[in-house]
Amino acid sequence: MNKRIAILAGDGIGPEVITQAQLVLDAICAKFGHTFSYTEALVGAAAIDATGDPYPADTHEVCMQSDAVLFGAIGHPKYDNDPHAKVRPEQGLLRMRKALGLYANLRPVVSYPSLFDKSPLKNDRLVGVDFLVLRELISGIYFGEPRGRSENGEMAFDTCVYRKDEIDPMLHLAFESARKRKNKVTLVDKANVLATSRLWRERFQEIAPQYPDVTADTIFVDNAAMQLILNPAQFDVMVTGNLFGDILSDEGSVLAGSLGILPSASIGEHTSVFEPVHGSYPQATGQNRANPLAAILSAAMLLETAFGLTEEAALVRSAVEVAMSTNQVTEDLGGTLGTKEVGAFIVSQIS
Ligand code: NAD
Ligand code: IPM
Ligand code: MN
């Protein structure tokens, strides 16, 4: 199979973890006789430094011309610590998602038995934890207008907007995903307070009966945040809006063992993007300390979701599980290996 992959490594630990994911893809190509051609493009703070724009037109063109995008992370402390900065790395990521029409972000969370001891939760809570956070990605409070500041600067506002035609595809995707998993969908919202959440609930009540074989449940987001710690195995597909999905997936990473192992896929109208859930982890930049497994598992999602290469994806995942069960992991999982060494171990398991 011949495919084109756009590489948007971004900032901080992005380039380090993406390099390892690419080496894993190369190993898959060598083993299965595929050819992937890579085109690197700028995004985030690196793109601002080079061009003044966190998502340059050239980068968008590369994404559009590719069969899949492998994305690292964006973000830099110089912007995190400057609330006045008008141009920000995060705008690059948000603009890419919007321009590619990536309305659904799939964030699987699994508690691997070999990592139970890495989670602060008691082991018995982690048995059977395997859920999918299905996060709406290009609407809600992240994109609603108007947004901004009052003229005197003493008031700021964001707007949360959801339309029926943005909600319905998410709900159908949730029910269809549940059919391939454990047949349960939980809508996470704040319908007791927010008008947008009430529209999600209304659409949920309309659509759920079309999937009589799937259990449909609703939960308020504050309770969901608690239930994720108290009894996480109850969840299968958690479908939710942009902001709640962002927060709950980071919370979910504690069940998995580390934010450094959570992958994601963003799908929609144009080229799909595969990216770790984590950010640019600036404290670890250039130190060979970052866990590359989230990026490597994102590459596995790319193989499966974008190219339909299920056997190849399964091989990557099983190599990752061997790394976990034999403690060939980075410090966040209690190991002693560096980013490169973990990548090399995965490659050695594949080759
Ligand atoms: P972060 O995800 O970068 O890091 C939070 C913590 O998670 C770290 O302190 C570390 O303990 C752990 N962690 C994250 N990635 C890890 C890895 N690969 N290996 C081991 N441990 C890991 O989030 P933050 O500190 O809140 O934000 C840092 C910057 O990243 C900000 O500029 C933020 O805007 C940006 N960010 C970008 C993305 C993205 O590109 N998708 C996501 C989140 C945050
Ligand atoms: C993520 C990140 C982004 C988000 C930020 C960096 C814009 O937190 O991918 O989870 O909030 O979507
Ligand atoms: Mn996030």
Side-chain angles (χ1 to χ4, degrees):
M1 182 179 276
N2 288 338
K3 292 286 182 190
R4 290 159 303 183
I5 302 177
I7 302 290
L8 274 59
D11 307 319
I13 60 165
E16 296 165 57
V17 296
I18 290 301
T19 297
Q20 298 313 311
Q22 259 183 283
L23 290 170
V24 169
L25 288 174
D26 288 344
I28 288 290
C29 282
K31 189 173 180 88
F32 291 86
H34 304 307
T35 305
F36 297 159
S37 63
Y38 303 108
T39 309
E40 292 184 17
L42 291 166
V43 71
I48 300 176
D49 290 345
T51 72
D53 181 347
Y55 186 59
D58 285 355
T59 297
H60 180 60
E61 202 46 41
V62 168
C63 293
M64 290 296 285
Q65 298 304 322
S66 300
D67 299 303
V69 178
L70 187 60
F71 187 98
I74 50 76
H76 191 282
K78 74 181 171 198
Y79 301 97
D80 295 340
N81 299 322
D82 178 9
H84 298 292
K86 288 243 156 31
V87 181
R88 315 185 62 84
E90 290 77 7
Q91 293 162 345
L93 176 58
L94 299 177
R95 276 174 43 210
M96 175 189 73
R97 290 170 176 169
K98 190 76 169 178
L100 296 175
L102 305 173
Y103 62 85
N105 183 216
L106 287 64
R107 297 185 159 187
V109 179
V110 179
S111 295
Y112 298 94
S114 61
L115 297 185
F116 278 4
D117 288 339
K118 313 303 175 201
S119 172
L121 268 75
K122 296 192 177 82
N123 283 7
D124 60 340
R125 307 265 159 123
L126 301 172
V127 176
V129 169
D130 180 352
F131 60 89
L132 176 70
V133 178
L134 194 51
R135 170 190 180 195
E136 194 290 324
L137 202 59
I138 53 173
S139 186
I141 198 162
Y142 273 59
F143 290 91
E145 296 288 345
R147 57 179 49 235
R149 290 283 277 268
S150 63
E151 252 170 48
N152 67 6
E154 290 180 7
M155 194 259 286
F157 48 96
D158 296 285
T159 306
C160 187
V161 181
Y162 270 113
R163 300 156 49 98
K164 173 176 172 291
D165 62 8
E166 294 167 336
I167 296 168
D168 286 10
M170 287 301 295
L171 297 179
H172 285 294
L173 184 58
F175 283 101
E176 274 151 24
S177 305
R179 279 183 169 164
K180 295 182 212 133
R181 298 174 47 92
K182 295 187 277 182
N183 275 300
K184 182 175 175 189
V185 174
T186 307
L187 171 68
V188 182
D189 67 18
K190 188 75 186 173
N192 48 349
V193 177
L194 303 176
T196 43
S197 285
R198 287 194 283 275
L199 182 57
W200 276 84
R201 227 171 240 229
E202 195 181 298
R203 299 311 305 152
F204 190 76
Q205 285 168 0
E206 170 103 11
I207 288 169
Q210 298 170 29
Y211 301 86
D213 51 316
V214 180
T215 305
D217 197 9
T218 58
I219 188 169
F220 296 131
V221 63
D222 43 357
N223 186 15
M226 178 186 68
Q227 294 295 333
L228 267 183
I229 303 300
L230 207 57
N231 179 17
Q234 70 183 286
F235 295 113
D236 179 18
V237 176
M238 304 178 84
V239 62
T240 190
N242 206 337
L243 182 61
F244 299 157
D246 179 45
I247 296 167
L248 293 178
S249 50
D250 269 39
E251 187 186 353
S253 77
V254 179
L255 309 168
S258 167
L259 185 53
I261 65 169
L262 284 204
S264 89
S266 302
I267 60 169
E269 237 173 294
H270 302 293
T271 319
S272 300
V273 173
F274 299 85
E275 49 173 324
V277 170
H278 66 70
S280 59
Y281 189 8
Q283 305 86 335
T285 304
Q287 294 180 16
N288 197 38
R289 284 169 50 204
N291 194 334
L293 294 183
I296 290 168
L297 289 169
S298 297
M301 290 186 89
L302 182 158
L303 291 168
E304 184 160 46
T305 314
F307 302 164
L309 298 174
T310 46
E311 193 189 333
E312 289 83 342
L315 183 59
V316 174
R317 288 191 188 109
S318 66
V320 166
E321 283 176 42
V322 174
M324 290 169 172
S325 60
T326 58
N327 210 30
Q328 303 295 308
V329 290
T330 41
E331 61 186 18
D332 53 308
L333 292 176
T336 56
L337 296 193
T339 312
K340 290 179 195 160
E341 289 70 29
V342 172
F345 180 82
I346 307 291
V347 166
S348 74
Q349 290 296 302
I350 289 170
S351 305

